[in-house]
Amino acid sequence: MDVVGDLLARERRSRDAALVTADGRERTYRDLITNAYKAANVLRYLGAREGSTVAVDATPRLHTTLAFLGAAGVGAPVRFDPAAGIERGDRVVLVDVADEPTTEPAPGTNLAVFGGPPERPETTHWEQELWSENPGMPPSGVGPADPVVREGDAPVTHRALLAAAAAVVERHGIDAETRVVLRGDFADARALAAGVVAPLSVGGTAVLTARAAGEPAERRGDVAVVAADSEAPVPEPVRATLPSFAGD
């Protein structure tokens, strides 16, 4: 794979489980890839293009995952920090509908919300647009050296993110039968690489969690991905080592 959008190749669509959300619902590779195509088209409609940045809520959910994959497909790097996205005038900002009242987009920034219909008429209802969109990936000229994630002022390229994911796959023996449980969020691109990109790259399953602090954790897979500074125990038998990003 050369770019993150290669995860969405049409021939990879199958009935195998690609993603499990915090509520336990499974999405197949067919579902995930088809809806990532739709997400790419919604973002294009909102003005996202190669080089323009999309700011997305960092909570690991179905719609934030689709937004990341769709943005990667059209060449728009993602910033998992909506507040910084507004401050920097990113092209699209995607947040939970509960955050709409306190989210004021800058001029030229399109605000979209998921989790229900928005209050403001100028805010885009993400799900409504997503489910009605064309299930085909729009064309893009994105390349391996282009940024796919922005962490502050430091971009992470497609090449670096995929290489980090490949290192996790090799180190922990992740394959199509492995369920990788992300016990963190997307704010750390290393966790995104290990918890989502790594399993998807080999046909495995990415499992998202939303456990409150102090709540007992139940085993949900084979490999756990946690924040680098976390010392909390995990129920999975393997705790992944977060990768580093090699320079381009």
Side-chain angles (χ1 to χ4, degrees), residues 144-198:
D146 293 327
V148 65
V149 174
R150 294 194 186 280
E151 289 190 315
D153 293 320
V156 178
T157 66
H158 287 256
R159 181 187 294 120
L161 194 73
L162 289 172
V168 173
V169 167
E170 181 177 4
R171 183 180 302 124
H172 298 290
I174 296 170
D175 59 22
E177 303 301 318
T178 308
R179 291 196 166 210
V180 179
V181 184
L182 178 58
R183 296 188 175 279
D185 60 34
F186 292 158
D188 186 339
R190 297 173 300 167
L192 176 67
V196 176
V197 178

mmCIF file of all heavy atoms in Angstrom, residues 144-198:
data_model
loop_
_atom_site.group_PDB
_atom_site.id
_atom_site.type_symbol
_atom_site.label_atom_id
_atom_site.label_comp_id
_atom_site.label_asym_id
_atom_site.label_seq_id
_atom_site.Cartn_x
_atom_site.Cartn_y
_atom_site.Cartn_z
ATOM 1 N N PRO A 144 2.277 9.291 -1.593
ATOM 2 C CA PRO A 144 2.825 8.835 -0.309
ATOM 3 C C PRO A 144 3.458 9.933 0.542
ATOM 4 O O PRO A 144 3.445 9.849 1.768
ATOM 5 C CB PRO A 144 3.876 7.798 -0.732
ATOM 6 C CG PRO A 144 3.447 7.341 -2.084
ATOM 7 C CD PRO A 144 2.823 8.529 -2.735
ATOM 8 N N ALA A 145 4.011 10.958 -0.093
ATOM 9 C CA ALA A 145 4.687 12.017 0.663
ATOM 10 C C ALA A 145 3.744 13.125 1.112
ATOM 11 O O ALA A 145 4.160 14.061 1.802
ATOM 12 C CB ALA A 145 5.819 12.616 -0.177
ATOM 13 N N ASP A 146 2.462 13.020 0.755
ATOM 14 C CA ASP A 146 1.490 14.027 1.164
ATOM 15 C C ASP A 146 1.044 13.780 2.604
ATOM 16 O O ASP A 146 1.008 12.633 3.062
ATOM 17 C CB ASP A 146 0.270 14.001 0.239
ATOM 18 C CG ASP A 146 0.605 14.457 -1.164
ATOM 19 O OD1 ASP A 146 1.490 15.323 -1.306
ATOM 20 O OD2 ASP A 146 0.001 13.942 -2.123
ATOM 21 N N PRO A 147 0.663 14.837 3.331
ATOM 22 C CA PRO A 147 0.227 14.646 4.724
ATOM 23 C C PRO A 147 -1.141 13.984 4.794
ATOM 24 O O PRO A 147 -2.020 14.250 3.976
ATOM 25 C CB PRO A 147 0.172 16.076 5.273
ATOM 26 C CG PRO A 147 -0.018 16.939 4.065
ATOM 27 C CD PRO A 147 0.709 16.256 2.948
ATOM 28 N N VAL A 148 -1.321 13.100 5.779
ATOM 29 C CA VAL A 148 -2.608 12.456 6.008
ATOM 30 C C VAL A 148 -3.185 12.849 7.358
ATOM 31 O O VAL A 148 -4.391 12.858 7.549
ATOM 32 C CB VAL A 148 -2.486 10.916 5.879
ATOM 33 C CG1 VAL A 148 -1.590 10.334 6.962
ATOM 34 C CG2 VAL A 148 -3.849 10.250 5.883
ATOM 35 N N VAL A 149 -2.320 13.204 8.309
ATOM 36 C CA VAL A 149 -2.732 13.673 9.630
ATOM 37 C C VAL A 149 -1.892 14.881 9.981
ATOM 38 O O VAL A 149 -0.690 14.939 9.665
ATOM 39 C CB VAL A 149 -2.542 12.573 10.708
ATOM 40 C CG1 VAL A 149 -2.830 13.132 12.099
ATOM 41 C CG2 VAL A 149 -3.435 11.372 10.430
ATOM 42 N N ARG A 150 -2.522 15.850 10.643
ATOM 43 C CA ARG A 150 -1.779 17.000 11.163
ATOM 44 C C ARG A 150 -1.842 16.971 12.681
ATOM 45 O O ARG A 150 -2.921 16.976 13.261
ATOM 46 C CB ARG A 150 -2.361 18.316 10.642
ATOM 47 C CG ARG A 150 -2.204 18.512 9.147
ATOM 48 C CD ARG A 150 -2.476 19.944 8.741
ATOM 49 N NE ARG A 150 -2.476 20.112 7.300
ATOM 50 C CZ ARG A 150 -1.391 20.221 6.549
ATOM 51 N NH1 ARG A 150 -0.201 20.166 7.124
ATOM 52 N NH2 ARG A 150 -1.477 20.372 5.237
ATOM 53 N N GLU A 151 -0.675 16.919 13.325
ATOM 54 C CA GLU A 151 -0.576 17.011 14.780
ATOM 55 C C GLU A 151 0.124 18.326 15.092
ATOM 56 O O GLU A 151 1.343 18.426 14.983
ATOM 57 C CB GLU A 151 0.219 15.836 15.349
ATOM 58 C CG GLU A 151 -0.526 14.520 15.280
ATOM 59 C CD GLU A 151 0.169 13.425 16.074
ATOM 60 O OE1 GLU A 151 1.405 13.291 15.962
ATOM 61 O OE2 GLU A 151 -0.521 12.711 16.795
ATOM 62 N N GLY A 152 -0.659 19.345 15.419
ATOM 63 C CA GLY A 152 -0.090 20.671 15.581
ATOM 64 C C GLY A 152 0.452 21.144 14.249
ATOM 65 O O GLY A 152 -0.249 21.164 13.247
ATOM 66 N N ASP A 153 1.717 21.526 14.218
ATOM 67 C CA ASP A 153 2.348 21.953 12.972
ATOM 68 C C ASP A 153 3.142 20.832 12.308
ATOM 69 O O ASP A 153 3.810 21.058 11.296
ATOM 70 C CB ASP A 153 3.284 23.141 13.242
ATOM 71 C CG ASP A 153 2.519 24.382 13.671
ATOM 72 O OD1 ASP A 153 1.447 24.632 13.104
ATOM 73 O OD2 ASP A 153 2.994 25.073 14.600
ATOM 74 N N ALA A 154 3.063 19.637 12.877
ATOM 75 C CA ALA A 154 3.858 18.523 12.366
ATOM 76 C C ALA A 154 2.975 17.574 11.554
ATOM 77 O O ALA A 154 2.178 16.839 12.127
ATOM 78 C CB ALA A 154 4.519 17.773 13.518
ATOM 79 N N PRO A 155 3.105 17.568 10.221
ATOM 80 C CA PRO A 155 2.294 16.647 9.429
ATOM 81 C C PRO A 155 2.863 15.232 9.455
ATOM 82 O O PRO A 155 4.081 15.031 9.532
ATOM 83 C CB PRO A 155 2.371 17.238 8.020
ATOM 84 C CG PRO A 155 3.691 17.935 7.982
ATOM 85 C CD PRO A 155 3.922 18.456 9.371
ATOM 86 N N VAL A 156 1.973 14.250 9.425
ATOM 87 C CA VAL A 156 2.349 12.844 9.273
ATOM 88 C C VAL A 156 1.934 12.428 7.872
ATOM 89 O O VAL A 156 0.769 12.594 7.487
ATOM 90 C CB VAL A 156 1.648 11.960 10.316
ATOM 91 C CG1 VAL A 156 2.012 10.490 10.107
ATOM 92 C CG2 VAL A 156 1.995 12.410 11.731
ATOM 93 N N THR A 157 2.853 11.917 7.093
ATOM 94 C CA THR A 157 2.551 11.568 5.706
ATOM 95 C C THR A 157 1.879 10.201 5.617
ATOM 96 O O THR A 157 1.913 9.391 6.551
ATOM 97 C CB THR A 157 3.826 11.535 4.850
ATOM 98 O OG1 THR A 157 4.665 10.463 5.304
ATOM 99 C CG2 THR A 157 4.582 12.856 4.924
ATOM 100 N N HIS A 158 1.286 9.953 4.452
ATOM 101 C CA HIS A 158 0.711 8.635 4.187
ATOM 102 C C HIS A 158 1.779 7.558 4.353
ATOM 103 O O HIS A 158 1.536 6.511 4.972
ATOM 104 C CB HIS A 158 0.144 8.583 2.766
ATOM 105 C CG HIS A 158 -1.121 9.345 2.587
ATOM 106 N ND1 HIS A 158 -2.357 8.730 2.498
ATOM 107 C CD2 HIS A 158 -1.363 10.674 2.472
ATOM 108 C CE1 HIS A 158 -3.302 9.638 2.329
ATOM 109 N NE2 HIS A 158 -2.725 10.832 2.313
ATOM 110 N N ARG A 159 2.966 7.807 3.801
ATOM 111 C CA ARG A 159 4.053 6.825 3.885
ATOM 112 C C ARG A 159 4.420 6.525 5.332
ATOM 113 O O ARG A 159 4.588 5.358 5.721
ATOM 114 C CB ARG A 159 5.279 7.347 3.126
ATOM 115 C CG ARG A 159 6.462 6.378 3.145
ATOM 116 C CD ARG A 159 7.699 6.999 2.525
ATOM 117 N NE ARG A 159 7.513 7.252 1.093
ATOM 118 C CZ ARG A 159 7.585 8.444 0.522
ATOM 119 N NH1 ARG A 159 7.832 9.516 1.260
ATOM 120 N NH2 ARG A 159 7.402 8.589 -0.773
ATOM 121 N N ALA A 160 4.539 7.576 6.152
ATOM 122 C CA ALA A 160 4.948 7.389 7.541
ATOM 123 C C ALA A 160 3.874 6.657 8.338
ATOM 124 O O ALA A 160 4.186 5.780 9.159
ATOM 125 C CB ALA A 160 5.254 8.742 8.174
ATOM 126 N N LEU A 161 2.609 6.989 8.121
ATOM 127 C CA LEU A 161 1.531 6.336 8.865
ATOM 128 C C LEU A 161 1.437 4.858 8.502
ATOM 129 O O LEU A 161 1.293 4.001 9.375
ATOM 130 C CB LEU A 161 0.198 7.039 8.585
ATOM 131 C CG LEU A 161 -0.937 6.684 9.553
ATOM 132 C CD1 LEU A 161 -0.693 7.330 10.913
ATOM 133 C CD2 LEU A 161 -2.294 7.131 9.008
ATOM 134 N N LEU A 162 1.545 4.546 7.215
ATOM 135 C CA LEU A 162 1.488 3.151 6.788
ATOM 136 C C LEU A 162 2.703 2.367 7.265
ATOM 137 O O LEU A 162 2.580 1.183 7.641
ATOM 138 C CB LEU A 162 1.365 3.074 5.267
ATOM 139 C CG LEU A 162 0.014 3.511 4.684
ATOM 140 C CD1 LEU A 162 0.093 3.580 3.163
ATOM 141 C CD2 LEU A 162 -1.107 2.569 5.114
ATOM 142 N N ALA A 163 3.869 2.987 7.260
ATOM 143 C CA ALA A 163 5.071 2.308 7.743
ATOM 144 C C ALA A 163 4.958 2.008 9.234
ATOM 145 O O ALA A 163 5.354 0.927 9.705
ATOM 146 C CB ALA A 163 6.308 3.155 7.462
ATOM 147 N N ALA A 164 4.412 2.957 9.998
ATOM 148 C CA ALA A 164 4.217 2.736 11.432
ATOM 149 C C ALA A 164 3.229 1.599 11.667
ATOM 150 O O ALA A 164 3.438 0.748 12.541
ATOM 151 C CB ALA A 164 3.719 4.016 12.088
ATOM 152 N N ALA A 165 2.155 1.566 10.889
ATOM 153 C CA ALA A 165 1.176 0.488 11.011
ATOM 154 C C ALA A 165 1.810 -0.858 10.671
ATOM 155 O O ALA A 165 1.577 -1.862 11.351
ATOM 156 C CB ALA A 165 -0.015 0.763 10.100
ATOM 157 N N ALA A 166 2.634 -0.889 9.615
ATOM 158 C CA ALA A 166 3.299 -2.130 9.213
ATOM 159 C C ALA A 166 4.235 -2.632 10.303
ATOM 160 O O ALA A 166 4.359 -3.846 10.523
ATOM 161 C CB ALA A 166 4.061 -1.911 7.912
ATOM 162 N N ALA A 167 4.891 -1.715 11.004
ATOM 163 C CA ALA A 167 5.788 -2.108 12.094
ATOM 164 C C ALA A 167 5.003 -2.766 13.226
ATOM 165 O O ALA A 167 5.465 -3.749 13.830
ATOM 166 C CB ALA A 167 6.545 -0.888 12.610
ATOM 167 N N VAL A 168 3.818 -2.249 13.506
ATOM 168 C CA VAL A 168 2.967 -2.841 14.549
ATOM 169 C C VAL A 168 2.505 -4.231 14.123
ATOM 170 O O VAL A 168 2.497 -5.174 14.917
ATOM 171 C CB VAL A 168 1.769 -1.923 14.852
ATOM 172 C CG1 VAL A 168 0.786 -2.602 15.805
ATOM 173 C CG2 VAL A 168 2.238 -0.605 15.445
ATOM 174 N N VAL A 169 2.108 -4.361 12.872
ATOM 175 C CA VAL A 169 1.681 -5.659 12.342
ATOM 176 C C VAL A 169 2.778 -6.697 12.512
ATOM 177 O O VAL A 169 2.540 -7.822 12.989
ATOM 178 C CB VAL A 169 1.277 -5.533 10.855
ATOM 179 C CG1 VAL A 169 1.132 -6.906 10.208
ATOM 180 C CG2 VAL A 169 -0.026 -4.746 10.718
ATOM 181 N N GLU A 170 3.991 -6.324 12.134
ATOM 182 C CA GLU A 170 5.114 -7.268 12.209
ATOM 183 C C GLU A 170 5.483 -7.587 13.655
ATOM 184 O O GLU A 170 5.711 -8.753 14.014
ATOM 185 C CB GLU A 170 6.322 -6.693 11.475
ATOM 186 C CG GLU A 170 7.518 -7.625 11.478
ATOM 187 C CD GLU A 170 8.686 -7.075 10.684
ATOM 188 O OE1 GLU A 170 8.592 -5.929 10.191
ATOM 189 O OE2 GLU A 170 9.696 -7.796 10.561
ATOM 190 N N ARG A 171 5.521 -6.563 14.497
ATOM 191 C CA ARG A 171 5.969 -6.754 15.878
ATOM 192 C C ARG A 171 5.023 -7.660 16.658
ATOM 193 O O ARG A 171 5.452 -8.477 17.480
ATOM 194 C CB ARG A 171 6.084 -5.393 16.573
ATOM 195 C CG ARG A 171 6.602 -5.466 18.006
ATOM 196 C CD ARG A 171 6.692 -4.081 18.614
ATOM 197 N NE ARG A 171 7.562 -3.212 17.842
ATOM 198 C CZ ARG A 171 7.201 -2.032 17.341
ATOM 199 N NH1 ARG A 171 5.963 -1.588 17.544
ATOM 200 N NH2 ARG A 171 8.051 -1.300 16.665
ATOM 201 N N HIS A 172 3.710 -7.529 16.400
ATOM 202 C CA HIS A 172 2.727 -8.260 17.199
ATOM 203 C C HIS A 172 2.029 -9.382 16.429
ATOM 204 O O HIS A 172 1.091 -9.981 16.948
ATOM 205 C CB HIS A 172 1.701 -7.278 17.764
ATOM 206 C CG HIS A 172 2.307 -6.260 18.682
ATOM 207 N ND1 HIS A 172 2.792 -6.582 19.937
ATOM 208 C CD2 HIS A 172 2.551 -4.931 18.517
ATOM 209 C CE1 HIS A 172 3.288 -5.498 20.503
ATOM 210 N NE2 HIS A 172 3.151 -4.482 19.672
ATOM 211 N N GLY A 173 2.482 -9.672 15.224
ATOM 212 C CA GLY A 173 1.912 -10.777 14.471
ATOM 213 C C GLY A 173 0.443 -10.596 14.132
ATOM 214 O O GLY A 173 -0.324 -11.562 14.113
ATOM 215 N N ILE A 174 0.032 -9.369 13.841
ATOM 216 C CA ILE A 174 -1.372 -9.086 13.523
ATOM 217 C C ILE A 174 -1.700 -9.629 12.135
ATOM 218 O O ILE A 174 -0.933 -9.440 11.185
ATOM 219 C CB ILE A 174 -1.636 -7.570 13.607
ATOM 220 C CG1 ILE A 174 -1.421 -7.088 15.042
ATOM 221 C CG2 ILE A 174 -3.038 -7.220 13.131
ATOM 222 C CD1 ILE A 174 -1.410 -5.589 15.195
ATOM 223 N N ASP A 175 -2.837 -10.323 12.037
ATOM 224 C CA ASP A 175 -3.267 -10.849 10.745
ATOM 225 C C ASP A 175 -4.775 -10.728 10.615
ATOM 226 O O ASP A 175 -5.415 -10.031 11.425
ATOM 227 C CB ASP A 175 -2.805 -12.302 10.556
ATOM 228 C CG ASP A 175 -3.338 -13.247 11.634
ATOM 229 O OD1 ASP A 175 -4.373 -12.923 12.273
ATOM 230 O OD2 ASP A 175 -2.734 -14.314 11.833
ATOM 231 N N ALA A 176 -5.350 -11.401 9.638
ATOM 232 C CA ALA A 176 -6.773 -11.272 9.354
ATOM 233 C C ALA A 176 -7.654 -11.790 10.485
ATOM 234 O O ALA A 176 -8.847 -11.454 10.550
ATOM 235 C CB ALA A 176 -7.113 -12.003 8.053
ATOM 236 N N GLU A 177 -7.096 -12.593 11.382
ATOM 237 C CA GLU A 177 -7.875 -13.142 12.492
ATOM 238 C C GLU A 177 -7.762 -12.316 13.771
ATOM 239 O O GLU A 177 -8.410 -12.632 14.773
ATOM 240 C CB GLU A 177 -7.419 -14.576 12.779
ATOM 241 C CG GLU A 177 -7.512 -15.522 11.591
ATOM 242 C CD GLU A 177 -8.918 -15.631 11.059
ATOM 243 O OE1 GLU A 177 -9.855 -15.704 11.881
ATOM 244 O OE2 GLU A 177 -9.088 -15.626 9.820
ATOM 245 N N THR A 178 -6.965 -11.260 13.730
ATOM 246 C CA THR A 178 -6.682 -10.487 14.943
ATOM 247 C C THR A 178 -7.683 -9.360 15.147
ATOM 248 O O THR A 178 -8.035 -8.654 14.202
ATOM 249 C CB THR A 178 -5.267 -9.876 14.874
ATOM 250 O OG1 THR A 178 -4.319 -10.908 14.573
ATOM 251 C CG2 THR A 178 -4.892 -9.216 16.196
ATOM 252 N N ARG A 179 -8.103 -9.201 16.388
ATOM 253 C CA ARG A 179 -8.931 -8.044 16.772
ATOM 254 C C ARG A 179 -8.059 -7.108 17.617
ATOM 255 O O ARG A 179 -7.586 -7.486 18.689
ATOM 256 C CB ARG A 179 -10.176 -8.481 17.544
ATOM 257 C CG ARG A 179 -11.163 -9.237 16.671
ATOM 258 C CD ARG A 179 -12.529 -9.340 17.278
ATOM 259 N NE ARG A 179 -13.470 -9.774 16.238
ATOM 260 C CZ ARG A 179 -14.746 -9.457 16.202
ATOM 261 N NH1 ARG A 179 -15.264 -8.677 17.145
ATOM 262 N NH2 ARG A 179 -15.525 -9.886 15.234
ATOM 263 N N VAL A 180 -7.866 -5.901 17.098
ATOM 264 C CA VAL A 180 -7.044 -4.905 17.786
ATOM 265 C C VAL A 180 -7.973 -3.895 18.455
ATOM 266 O O VAL A 180 -8.807 -3.274 17.791
ATOM 267 C CB VAL A 180 -6.099 -4.193 16.799
ATOM 268 C CG1 VAL A 180 -5.275 -3.137 17.528
ATOM 269 C CG2 VAL A 180 -5.188 -5.207 16.125
ATOM 270 N N VAL A 181 -7.839 -3.745 19.764
ATOM 271 C CA VAL A 181 -8.745 -2.907 20.553
ATOM 272 C C VAL A 181 -8.077 -1.569 20.850
ATOM 273 O O VAL A 181 -7.034 -1.525 21.523
ATOM 274 C CB VAL A 181 -9.129 -3.612 21.863
ATOM 275 C CG1 VAL A 181 -10.160 -2.780 22.634
ATOM 276 C CG2 VAL A 181 -9.679 -5.013 21.581
ATOM 277 N N LEU A 182 -8.661 -0.499 20.365
ATOM 278 C CA LEU A 182 -8.124 0.835 20.623
ATOM 279 C C LEU A 182 -8.729 1.370 21.915
ATOM 280 O O LEU A 182 -9.914 1.695 21.976
ATOM 281 C CB LEU A 182 -8.439 1.772 19.458
ATOM 282 C CG LEU A 182 -7.961 3.214 19.622
ATOM 283 C CD1 LEU A 182 -6.451 3.273 19.845
ATOM 284 C CD2 LEU A 182 -8.350 4.061 18.425
ATOM 285 N N ARG A 183 -7.912 1.447 22.956
ATOM 286 C CA ARG A 183 -8.358 1.962 24.249
ATOM 287 C C ARG A 183 -7.754 3.349 24.460
ATOM 288 O O ARG A 183 -6.974 3.594 25.376
ATOM 289 C CB ARG A 183 -7.958 0.988 25.363
ATOM 290 C CG ARG A 183 -8.644 -0.365 25.229
ATOM 291 C CD ARG A 183 -8.422 -1.275 26.409
ATOM 292 N NE ARG A 183 -9.206 -2.502 26.270
ATOM 293 C CZ ARG A 183 -10.497 -2.614 26.566
ATOM 294 N NH1 ARG A 183 -11.143 -1.561 27.038
ATOM 295 N NH2 ARG A 183 -11.137 -3.751 26.403
ATOM 296 N N GLY A 184 -8.096 4.237 23.567
ATOM 297 C CA GLY A 184 -7.597 5.602 23.588
ATOM 298 C C GLY A 184 -8.398 6.399 22.587
ATOM 299 O O GLY A 184 -9.547 6.092 22.309
ATOM 300 N N ASP A 185 -7.788 7.420 22.013
ATOM 301 C CA ASP A 185 -8.503 8.190 20.992
ATOM 302 C C ASP A 185 -7.577 8.469 19.820
ATOM 303 O O ASP A 185 -6.440 8.013 19.776
ATOM 304 C CB ASP A 185 -9.110 9.474 21.569
ATOM 305 C CG ASP A 185 -8.076 10.418 22.159
ATOM 306 O OD1 ASP A 185 -6.943 10.480 21.630
ATOM 307 O OD2 ASP A 185 -8.391 11.112 23.134
ATOM 308 N N PHE A 186 -8.101 9.211 18.852
ATOM 309 C CA PHE A 186 -7.367 9.464 17.615
ATOM 310 C C PHE A 186 -6.424 10.656 17.717
ATOM 311 O O PHE A 186 -5.747 10.984 16.740
ATOM 312 C CB PHE A 186 -8.349 9.729 16.472
ATOM 313 C CG PHE A 186 -9.161 8.529 16.054
ATOM 314 C CD1 PHE A 186 -10.361 8.714 15.387
ATOM 315 C CD2 PHE A 186 -8.742 7.241 16.300
ATOM 316 C CE1 PHE A 186 -11.127 7.622 14.976
ATOM 317 C CE2 PHE A 186 -9.484 6.145 15.899
ATOM 318 C CZ PHE A 186 -10.687 6.333 15.232
ATOM 319 N N ALA A 187 -6.379 11.315 18.885
ATOM 320 C CA ALA A 187 -5.541 12.513 18.997
ATOM 321 C C ALA A 187 -4.064 12.193 18.811
ATOM 322 O O ALA A 187 -3.293 13.041 18.372
ATOM 323 C CB ALA A 187 -5.770 13.191 20.353
ATOM 324 N N ASP A 188 -3.659 10.973 19.163
ATOM 325 C CA ASP A 188 -2.280 10.523 18.962
ATOM 326 C C ASP A 188 -2.254 9.695 17.685
ATOM 327 O O ASP A 188 -2.838 8.608 17.627
ATOM 328 C CB ASP A 188 -1.823 9.690 20.159
ATOM 329 C CG ASP A 188 -0.344 9.308 20.086
ATOM 330 O OD1 ASP A 188 0.227 9.333 18.971
ATOM 331 O OD2 ASP A 188 0.225 8.965 21.137
ATOM 332 N N ALA A 189 -1.596 10.192 16.645
ATOM 333 C CA ALA A 189 -1.577 9.496 15.357
ATOM 334 C C ALA A 189 -0.925 8.124 15.457
ATOM 335 O O ALA A 189 -1.207 7.238 14.652
ATOM 336 C CB ALA A 189 -0.845 10.347 14.316
ATOM 337 N N ARG A 190 -0.063 7.918 16.459
ATOM 338 C CA ARG A 190 0.538 6.586 16.640
ATOM 339 C C ARG A 190 -0.508 5.569 17.048
ATOM 340 O O ARG A 190 -0.484 4.412 16.599
ATOM 341 C CB ARG A 190 1.653 6.662 17.683
ATOM 342 C CG ARG A 190 2.819 7.565 17.294
ATOM 343 C CD ARG A 190 3.779 7.717 18.453
ATOM 344 N NE ARG A 190 3.108 8.304 19.610
ATOM 345 C CZ ARG A 190 3.619 8.337 20.838
ATOM 346 N NH1 ARG A 190 4.809 7.790 21.073
ATOM 347 N NH2 ARG A 190 2.958 8.899 21.830
ATOM 348 N N ALA A 191 -1.449 5.992 17.905
ATOM 349 C CA ALA A 191 -2.545 5.100 18.300
ATOM 350 C C ALA A 191 -3.468 4.835 17.121
ATOM 351 O O ALA A 191 -3.975 3.723 16.958
ATOM 352 C CB ALA A 191 -3.316 5.717 19.465
ATOM 353 N N LEU A 192 -3.685 5.848 16.290
ATOM 354 C CA LEU A 192 -4.493 5.663 15.087
ATOM 355 C C LEU A 192 -3.835 4.643 14.161
ATOM 356 O O LEU A 192 -4.501 3.746 13.618
ATOM 357 C CB LEU A 192 -4.649 7.005 14.366
ATOM 358 C CG LEU A 192 -5.395 6.991 13.029
ATOM 359 C CD1 LEU A 192 -6.862 6.655 13.237
ATOM 360 C CD2 LEU A 192 -5.256 8.351 12.338
ATOM 361 N N ALA A 193 -2.513 4.753 14.000
ATOM 362 C CA ALA A 193 -1.786 3.820 13.136
ATOM 363 C C ALA A 193 -1.873 2.403 13.673
ATOM 364 O O ALA A 193 -2.108 1.445 12.925
ATOM 365 C CB ALA A 193 -0.325 4.245 13.014
ATOM 366 N N ALA A 194 -1.677 2.247 14.992
ATOM 367 C CA ALA A 194 -1.664 0.914 15.592
ATOM 368 C C ALA A 194 -3.055 0.324 15.757
ATOM 369 O O ALA A 194 -3.256 -0.879 15.561
ATOM 370 C CB ALA A 194 -0.960 0.977 16.946
ATOM 371 N N GLY A 195 -4.026 1.171 16.132
ATOM 372 C CA GLY A 195 -5.347 0.663 16.480
ATOM 373 C C GLY A 195 -6.322 0.539 15.343
ATOM 374 O O GLY A 195 -7.292 -0.228 15.441
ATOM 375 N N VAL A 196 -6.095 1.273 14.252
ATOM 376 C CA VAL A 196 -7.030 1.236 13.129
ATOM 377 C C VAL A 196 -6.333 0.835 11.828
ATOM 378 O O VAL A 196 -6.728 -0.138 11.175
ATOM 379 C CB VAL A 196 -7.747 2.597 12.942
ATOM 380 C CG1 VAL A 196 -8.638 2.579 11.707
ATOM 381 C CG2 VAL A 196 -8.576 2.923 14.173
ATOM 382 N N VAL A 197 -5.302 1.577 11.455
ATOM 383 C CA VAL A 197 -4.659 1.325 10.160
ATOM 384 C C VAL A 197 -3.990 -0.049 10.142
ATOM 385 O O VAL A 197 -4.084 -0.778 9.149
ATOM 386 C CB VAL A 197 -3.645 2.437 9.831
ATOM 387 C CG1 VAL A 197 -2.942 2.160 8.506
ATOM 388 C CG2 VAL A 197 -4.363 3.791 9.783
ATOM 389 N N ALA A 198 -3.335 -0.431 11.237
ATOM 390 C CA ALA A 198 -2.639 -1.727 11.266
ATOM 391 C C ALA A 198 -3.589 -2.897 11.016
ATOM 392 O O ALA A 198 -3.353 -3.699 10.102
ATOM 393 C CB ALA A 198 -1.882 -1.893 12.578
#
